[in-house]
Amino acid sequence: MVAAQILPELEGDSAKNMGSKDLHHVPVHVPVHVLQPLVRLAETPYIIEHQPGLRIKTNNDGSQAPCFFALLFAVDKKSLAMFFVASLLTAWAVVLNCMTGLVVAAPNHCLPSSYITYTSVAGYFLQDDASTNASIFSFLDTHFGLINRTYPTDAGYDPRGKKTQWQRFANQVFKLNRDAPRGTQYKLLYMGRHGEGYHNAAESYYGTPAWNCYYSLIDGNETVAWADARITPKGVAQALTVHAFWASEIKNQKIPTPQSYYTSPLTRCLETANLTFGGLKLPSRHPFVATVKEFFREGISGHTCDRRGTRSYIQSAFPSYKIEPGFSETDQLWQAYHAETQLDQDIRSKMALDDVFTGDRETYLSITSHSGEIASLLRGEEA
């Protein structure tokens, strides 16, 4: 494992080219380790390729379904900044400023104080095993892919072998945090994709070329709307399948449930999160109360499905949700016939995680988002 490294500050033209006058850098050296279990839903989900440089792809028929990722990684308890799954990405030095181009500048509280890269640690989830067949793997059948193994902490915690794998794993995470070097903290991150939306169904119906060139640019057809698309009946069923899976894991396997919940502001994620986690038997101290975060949204394109609803709509439709400070009434990021670049998306994805971990000390976190956004969050693994 490689210790995390803080990249050098940007100076001169390198900083000016990013269009920000208020870069903030505090050089810190922090050792950080990452455990990366990547899991997916059965049926027709995205597939994770088990090789260096993880990528997400769809089945040959282009079908889509919710996918879940679980990421266990370490973060810097001292500066609590720049928490992103990355492997010594020198190119990421440029993300120490706010968003430029299509996406408006982030609030000052989103600016990081340091930059940290991470290395992955294998051996905890089946997705890290070279013998795992990604094309048929289902986290529904494998407890999120958690490997049935012993841990160094088992002898003292479970001498009679009565605890579940998840209980022993949680104890392992607890001990990792307890014994971690100063400035290191481990977290488990559950990342779930929304259920099938009406925009997904429309693209399948019209075909991708027609969808991209025409239909995606309008709000809907005579029978259905796909601007800020809701999830279809199939999408509802998919989310309820994941709900049942969580209920089973909680009851039978004692899985550590999320202590904090975050979601994209797009309706398909707001609905999926509610169906997935609402009504579960959760600890009273950590109920399902999702926080809506602007930067966890899908890659912003000219497609109307990527245009979110108003703050008033979200608050009215999902009154139990919290909305992050600074969230605008109308969508200030979406523009017709205009798309953010992949780099811009990766910048805001990293900023979103930075903002989450700056203010959240919990160990188990959930993010309900999109295939493109989850891919952006994972992009650092490609370096």
Side-chain angles (χ1 to χ4, degrees):
M1 291 180 280
V2 181
Q5 298 181 6
I6 304 304
L7 298 179
E9 297 185 37
L10 295 178
E11 297 180 355
D13 293 338
S14 297
K16 294 178 182 178
N17 290 339
M18 294 304 297
S20 174
K21 298 180 181 179
D22 301 307
L23 299 181
H24 299 275
H25 310 272
V26 180
V28 181
H29 182 82
V30 183
V32 181
H33 306 84
V34 183
L35 288 157
Q36 180 199 9
L38 299 177
V39 295
R40 70 176 184 83
L41 184 66
E43 198 175 346
T44 54
Y46 284 80
I47 300 168
I48 304 303
E49 298 177 335
H50 307 294
Q51 59 186 24
L54 293 174
R55 292 170 174 82
I56 300 176
K57 62 183 181 181
T58 60
N59 289 344
N60 291 333
D61 63 359
S63 57
Q64 300 177 349
C67 58
F68 252 92
F69 301 87
L71 300 174
L72 179 61
F73 57 95
V75 299
D76 171 18
K77 289 189 286 188
K78 183 175 182 180
S79 64
L80 287 178
M82 285 304 182
F83 308 104
F84 187 72
V85 183
S87 299
L88 305 180
L89 285 176
T90 56
W92 277 96
V94 298
V95 307
L96 295 176
N97 73 316
C98 287
M99 292 300 298
T100 59
L102 168 65
V103 183
V104 298
N108 287 335
H109 73 270
C110 292
L111 290 170
S113 60
S114 61
Y115 184 85
I116 303 173
T117 56
Y118 302 82
T119 54
S120 299
V121 179
Y124 287 85
F125 290 81
L126 291 172
Q127 294 85 339
D128 295 315
D129 190 331
S131 66
T132 299
N133 187 340
S135 65
I136 61 174
F137 176 79
S138 169
F139 77 78
L140 295 173
D141 302 323
T142 57
H143 310 298
F144 273 123
L146 187 65
I147 294 175
N148 184 13
R149 52 158 290 188
T150 60
Y151 306 115
T153 55
D154 285 351
Y157 175 68
D158 186 27
R160 297 184 179 181
K162 300 295 185 180
K163 302 295 185 180
T164 69
Q165 189 69 50
W166 274 113
Q167 287 175 309
R168 291 187 291 109
F169 173 78
N171 183 63
Q172 170 76 355
V173 174
F174 170 79
K175 294 296 181 64
L176 286 172
N177 276 317
R178 187 194 66 179
D179 301 335
R182 179 170 179 163
T184 300
Q185 181 182 355
Y186 292 85
K187 291 181 181 287
L188 180 67
L189 177 62
Y190 299 107
M191 298 169 62
R193 178 186 179 269
H194 61 81
E196 181 191 68
Y198 280 102
H199 64 307
N200 301 132
E203 181 176 359
S204 296
Y205 178 79
Y206 291 113
T208 298
W211 170 256
N212 285 334
C213 293
Y214 177 72
Y215 291 101
S216 67
L217 307 178
I218 61 178
D219 287 353
N221 59 21
E222 297 82 0
T223 59
V224 66
W226 51 71
D228 188 20
R230 301 188 64 176
I231 57 177
T232 66
K234 180 180 178 180
V236 170
Q238 291 167 341
L240 292 177
T241 295
V242 179
H243 173 95
F245 170 72
W246 270 105
S248 175
E249 291 295 291
I250 292 170
K251 178 180 179 181
N252 301 318
Q253 302 301 322
K254 314 302 181 186
I255 187 174
T257 56
Q259 296 165 316
S260 298
Y261 299 83
Y262 298 93
T263 178
S264 158
L266 295 173
T267 296
R268 52 192 180 272
C269 289
L270 301 172
E271 291 180 328
T272 298
N274 190 51
L275 290 169
T276 300
F277 297 108
L280 291 175
K281 293 184 178 180
L282 302 170
S284 59
R285 64 186 180 281
H286 295 125
F288 169 60
V289 179
T291 297
V292 180
K293 290 196 69 63
E294 186 80 89
F295 280 5
F296 278 142
R297 63 195 293 171
E298 181 61 293
I300 305 168
S301 70
H303 296 189
T304 59
C305 59
D306 295 331
R307 185 184 68 222
R308 71 163 171 83
T310 64
R311 178 191 177 102
S312 298
Y313 153 73
I314 295 173
Q315 193 68 78
S316 175
F318 303 90
S320 66
Y321 286 12
K322 297 179 180 178
I323 299 179
E324 67 177 339
F327 194 88
S328 60
E329 171 63 17
T330 58
D331 192 344
Q332 301 296 305
L333 307 185
W334 186 88
Q335 296 181 24
Y337 312 112
H338 194 91
E340 69 178 337
T341 66
Q342 179 175 294
L343 176 60
D344 278 343
Q345 182 179 5
D346 292 348
I347 290 171
R348 68 169 170 85
S349 298
K350 193 167 189 180
M351 293 176 67
L353 284 180
D354 174 64
D355 192 42
V356 166
F357 292 119
T358 296
D360 196 330
R361 297 295 186 101
E362 301 290 4
T363 300
Y364 301 96
L365 311 178
S366 169
I367 298 173
T368 303
S369 190
H370 312 260
S371 60
E373 177 59 12
I374 291 172
S376 176
L377 295 172
L378 298 175
R379 201 109 63 201
E381 287 295 332
E382 297 181 358

